[in-house]
Coordinates of all heavy atoms in Angstrom, one line a residue:
S1 N 78.8 71.9 19.7 CA 78.8 71.6 18.3 C 80.2 71.1 18.0 O 81.2 71.8 18.3 CB 78.4 72.7 17.4 OG 77.1 73.2 17.7
W2 N 80.3 69.9 17.3 CA 81.6 69.3 17.1 C 82.2 69.6 15.8 O 81.5 69.7 14.8 CB 81.6 67.8 17.3 CG 81.1 67.4 18.7 CD1 79.9 66.9 19.0 CD2 81.8 67.5 19.9 NE1 79.8 66.7 20.4 CE2 81.0 67.0 20.9 CE3 83.1 67.9 20.2 CZ2 81.4 66.9 22.3 CZ3 83.5 67.8 21.6 CH2 82.7 67.4 22.5
F3 N 83.5 69.9 15.7 CA 84.2 70.2 14.5 C 85.3 69.1 14.3 O 86.3 69.0 15.1 CB 84.9 71.6 14.6 CG 83.8 72.7 14.6 CD1 83.2 73.0 15.8 CD2 83.4 73.3 13.4 CE1 82.3 74.0 15.8 CE2 82.5 74.3 13.4 CZ 81.9 74.7 14.6
M4 N 85.2 68.3 13.2 CA 86.2 67.3 12.9 C 87.3 67.8 12.0 O 87.0 68.5 11.0 CB 85.4 66.1 12.2 CG 84.9 65.1 13.2 SD 86.2 64.1 13.9 CE 86.8 63.2 12.4
P5 N 88.5 67.5 12.3 CA 89.6 68.0 11.5 C 89.8 67.3 10.2 O 90.4 67.8 9.3 CB 90.9 67.8 12.4 CG 90.5 66.7 13.3 CD 89.0 66.8 13.5
W6 N 89.3 66.1 10.1 CA 89.4 65.3 8.8 C 88.2 64.3 8.8 O 87.5 64.2 9.7 CB 90.7 64.6 8.7 CG 91.2 63.9 10.0 CD1 92.0 64.4 10.9 CD2 90.8 62.6 10.5 NE1 92.2 63.5 12.0 CE2 91.4 62.4 11.7 CE3 89.9 61.6 10.0 CZ2 91.2 61.3 12.5 CZ3 89.7 60.5 10.7 CH2 90.4 60.3 12.0
G7 N 88.1 63.6 7.6 CA 87.1 62.6 7.5 C 85.9 63.1 6.6 O 86.0 64.2 6.0
E8 N 84.8 62.4 6.6 CA 83.7 62.8 5.7 C 83.1 64.1 6.2 O 82.6 64.9 5.3 CB 82.7 61.6 5.7 CG 83.2 60.3 5.1 CD 82.1 59.3 5.1 OE1 81.0 59.5 5.6 OE2 82.4 58.2 4.5
N9 N 83.0 64.3 7.4 CA 82.3 65.5 8.0 C 83.3 66.5 8.5 O 83.0 67.1 9.5 CB 81.3 65.1 9.1 CG 80.2 64.1 8.6 OD1 79.7 64.3 7.5 ND2 79.9 63.1 9.4
Q10 N 84.4 66.6 7.8 CA 85.4 67.5 8.3 C 84.9 69.0 8.1 O 84.1 69.3 7.3 CB 86.7 67.3 7.5 CG 86.6 67.5 6.0 CD 88.0 67.3 5.4 OE1 88.9 68.1 5.6 NE2 88.1 66.2 4.6
C11 N 85.5 69.8 9.0 CA 85.1 71.2 9.0 C 85.8 72.0 7.9 O 86.7 71.6 7.3 CB 85.4 71.8 10.4 SG 87.2 71.8 10.7
E12 N 85.3 73.2 7.7 CA 85.9 74.2 6.8 C 87.1 74.8 7.6 O 87.0 75.2 8.7 CB 84.9 75.3 6.4 CG 85.5 76.3 5.5 CD 84.5 77.4 5.1 OE1 83.3 77.3 5.6 OE2 84.9 78.4 4.4
K13 N 88.2 74.9 6.9 CA 89.5 75.3 7.6 C 90.1 76.5 7.0 O 89.8 76.9 5.8 CB 90.5 74.1 7.5 CG 90.1 72.8 8.0 CD 91.2 71.8 7.9 CE 90.8 70.4 8.2 NZ 89.9 69.8 7.2
I14 N 90.9 77.1 7.8 CA 91.8 78.2 7.3 C 93.2 77.8 7.5 O 93.5 77.0 8.4 CB 91.5 79.6 8.0 CG1 91.6 79.4 9.5 CG2 90.1 80.0 7.6 CD1 91.5 80.7 10.3
R15 N 94.2 78.5 6.8 CA 95.6 78.1 6.9 C 96.2 78.8 8.1 O 96.9 78.2 8.9 CB 96.3 78.5 5.6 CG 95.9 77.7 4.4 CD 96.8 78.0 3.2 NE 96.8 79.4 2.9 CZ 96.0 80.1 2.1 NH1 95.0 79.4 1.6 NH2 96.1 81.4 1.9
D16 N 96.0 80.1 8.2 CA 96.7 80.9 9.3 C 95.9 82.1 9.5 O 94.8 82.4 9.0 CB 98.2 81.2 8.9 CG 98.3 81.7 7.4 OD1 97.3 82.5 7.0 OD2 99.3 81.4 6.8
S17 N 96.5 83.0 10.4 CA 95.8 84.2 10.8 C 95.7 85.2 9.6 O 94.7 85.9 9.5 CB 96.6 84.9 11.9 OG 97.9 85.2 11.5
E18 N 96.7 85.2 8.7 CA 96.5 86.0 7.5 C 95.4 85.6 6.6 O 94.6 86.5 6.1 CB 97.9 86.0 6.7 CG 99.0 86.8 7.3 CD 99.6 86.0 8.5 OE1 99.3 84.8 8.6 OE2 100.4 86.6 9.2
D19 N 95.2 84.3 6.5 CA 94.0 83.8 5.8 C 92.7 84.2 6.4 O 91.8 84.6 5.7 CB 94.1 82.3 5.6 CG 93.1 81.7 4.7 OD1 92.5 82.5 3.9 OD2 92.8 80.5 4.8
A20 N 92.7 84.2 7.8 CA 91.5 84.6 8.5 C 91.2 86.1 8.3 O 90.0 86.5 8.1 CB 91.6 84.3 10.0
I21 N 92.2 86.9 8.3 CA 92.0 88.4 8.1 C 91.5 88.6 6.7 O 90.6 89.5 6.5 CB 93.4 89.1 8.3 CG1 93.7 89.0 9.8 CG2 93.2 90.6 7.9 CD1 95.1 89.6 10.1
S22 N 92.1 88.0 5.7 CA 91.7 88.2 4.3 C 90.2 87.8 4.1 O 89.5 88.3 3.2 CB 92.6 87.5 3.3 OG 92.5 86.0 3.5
R23 N 89.8 86.8 4.8 CA 88.4 86.3 4.7 C 87.4 86.9 5.7 O 86.3 86.5 5.8 CB 88.4 84.8 4.8 CG 89.1 84.1 3.7 CD 89.3 82.6 3.9 NE 88.0 81.9 4.1 CZ 87.8 80.6 4.3 NH1 88.9 79.8 4.4 NH2 86.7 80.1 4.4
L24 N 88.0 87.9 6.5 CA 87.2 88.6 7.5 C 86.6 87.6 8.5 O 85.5 87.8 9.0 CB 86.0 89.4 6.8 CG 86.4 90.4 5.7 CD1 85.2 91.1 5.1 CD2 87.4 91.4 6.3
I25 N 87.4 86.7 8.9 CA 87.0 85.7 10.0 C 87.6 86.2 11.3 O 88.8 86.4 11.4 CB 87.5 84.3 9.6 CG1 86.9 83.8 8.3 CG2 87.2 83.3 10.7 CD1 87.4 82.5 7.8
E26 N 86.7 86.3 12.3 CA 87.2 86.8 13.6 C 87.7 85.7 14.4 O 87.5 84.5 14.2 CB 86.0 87.5 14.3 CG 85.4 88.7 13.6 CD 84.3 89.3 14.4 OE1 83.9 88.7 15.4 OE2 83.8 90.4 14.0
A27 N 88.4 86.0 15.5 CA 89.0 85.0 16.4 C 87.9 84.2 17.1 O 88.1 83.0 17.3 CB 89.9 85.7 17.4
N28 N 86.8 84.8 17.3 CA 85.7 84.1 18.0 C 85.1 83.0 17.1 O 84.3 82.1 17.6 CB 84.6 85.0 18.5 CG 85.1 85.9 19.6 OD1 86.0 85.5 20.3 ND2 84.5 87.1 19.7
D29 N 85.4 83.1 15.8 CA 84.8 82.1 14.8 C 85.7 80.9 14.5 O 85.4 80.1 13.7 CB 84.5 82.8 13.5 CG 83.5 83.9 13.7 OD1 82.6 83.8 14.6 OD2 83.5 84.9 12.9
I30 N 86.9 80.9 15.2 CA 87.9 79.8 15.0 C 87.8 78.8 16.1 O 87.8 79.1 17.3 CB 89.3 80.5 14.9 CG1 89.3 81.5 13.7 CG2 90.3 79.4 14.7 CD1 90.7 82.2 13.6
V31 N 87.8 77.6 15.7 CA 87.8 76.4 16.6 C 89.0 75.6 16.3 O 89.2 75.1 15.1 CB 86.5 75.6 16.5 CG1 86.6 74.4 17.5 CG2 85.3 76.4 16.8
F32 N 89.9 75.3 17.3 CA 91.1 74.5 17.1 C 90.6 73.0 17.4 O 90.3 72.7 18.5 CB 92.2 74.9 18.0 CG 92.7 76.3 17.7 CD1 92.1 77.4 18.4 CD2 93.7 76.5 16.7 CE1 92.6 78.7 18.1 CE2 94.1 77.8 16.5 CZ 93.5 78.9 17.2
A33 N 90.7 72.2 16.4 CA 90.2 70.8 16.5 C 91.3 69.8 16.4 O 92.1 69.9 15.5 CB 89.1 70.5 15.4
M34 N 91.3 68.8 17.3 CA 92.3 67.7 17.3 C 91.6 66.4 17.5 O 90.8 66.3 18.5 CB 93.3 68.0 18.3 CG 94.3 69.1 18.0 SD 94.9 70.1 19.4 CE 93.4 71.0 19.7
H35 N 91.9 65.4 16.7 CA 91.3 64.1 16.8 C 92.4 63.2 17.4 O 93.5 63.2 16.9 CB 90.8 63.6 15.5 CG 90.1 62.2 15.6 ND1 90.8 61.0 15.7 CD2 88.8 61.9 15.6 CE1 90.0 60.0 15.7 NE2 88.7 60.5 15.7
I36 N 92.1 62.4 18.4 CA 93.0 61.5 19.1 C 92.5 60.1 19.0 O 91.4 59.9 19.4 CB 93.3 61.9 20.6 CG1 93.8 63.3 20.7 CG2 94.2 60.9 21.2 CD1 93.8 63.9 22.1
P37 N 93.2 59.2 18.4 CA 94.6 59.3 17.8 C 94.5 59.7 16.4 O 93.5 60.2 15.9 CB 95.1 57.9 17.9 CG 93.8 57.0 17.7 CD 92.7 57.8 18.3
H38 N 95.7 59.6 15.7 CA 95.8 59.9 14.3 C 94.9 59.0 13.4 O 94.5 57.9 13.9 CB 97.2 59.8 13.8 CG 98.1 60.9 14.4 ND1 97.9 62.2 14.2 CD2 99.3 60.8 15.1 CE1 98.8 62.9 14.8 NE2 99.7 62.1 15.4
P39 N 94.6 59.4 12.2 CA 93.7 58.5 11.4 C 94.3 57.1 11.2 O 95.5 56.9 11.1 CB 93.7 59.3 10.0 CG 94.0 60.7 10.4 CD 95.0 60.6 11.5
G40 N 93.4 56.1 11.3 CA 93.7 54.7 11.1 C 94.1 54.0 12.4 O 94.4 52.8 12.4
N41 N 94.2 54.7 13.5 CA 94.5 54.2 14.8 C 93.4 54.2 15.8 O 92.4 55.0 15.6 CB 95.7 54.9 15.4 CG 97.0 54.7 14.5 OD1 97.3 53.6 14.0 ND2 97.7 55.8 14.3

């Protein structure tokens, strides 16, 4: 399942680990997403 960092179908994001703890989000629920290249290229 693909997670887009930006665009129309961008994923729901968190800021940092403190944000994940406050929202009770586990490490297994986090996906680090990167789009290559940057937008517009």
Side-chain angles (χ1 to χ4, degrees):
S1 299
W2 300 105
F3 293 83
M4 271 287 292
W6 44 263
E8 296 181 358
N9 300 319
Q10 62 181 291
C11 63
E12 182 182 353
K13 305 183 187 69
I14 57 174
R15 294 188 305 273
D16 47 34
S17 57
E18 286 76 13
D19 187 18
I21 294 174
S22 64
R23 296 172 58 181
L24 301 179
I25 297 174
E26 299 180 355
N28 292 334
D29 300 328
I30 300 175
V31 179
F32 299 92
M34 287 145 285
H35 185 281
I36 302 172
H38 289 302
N41 299 313

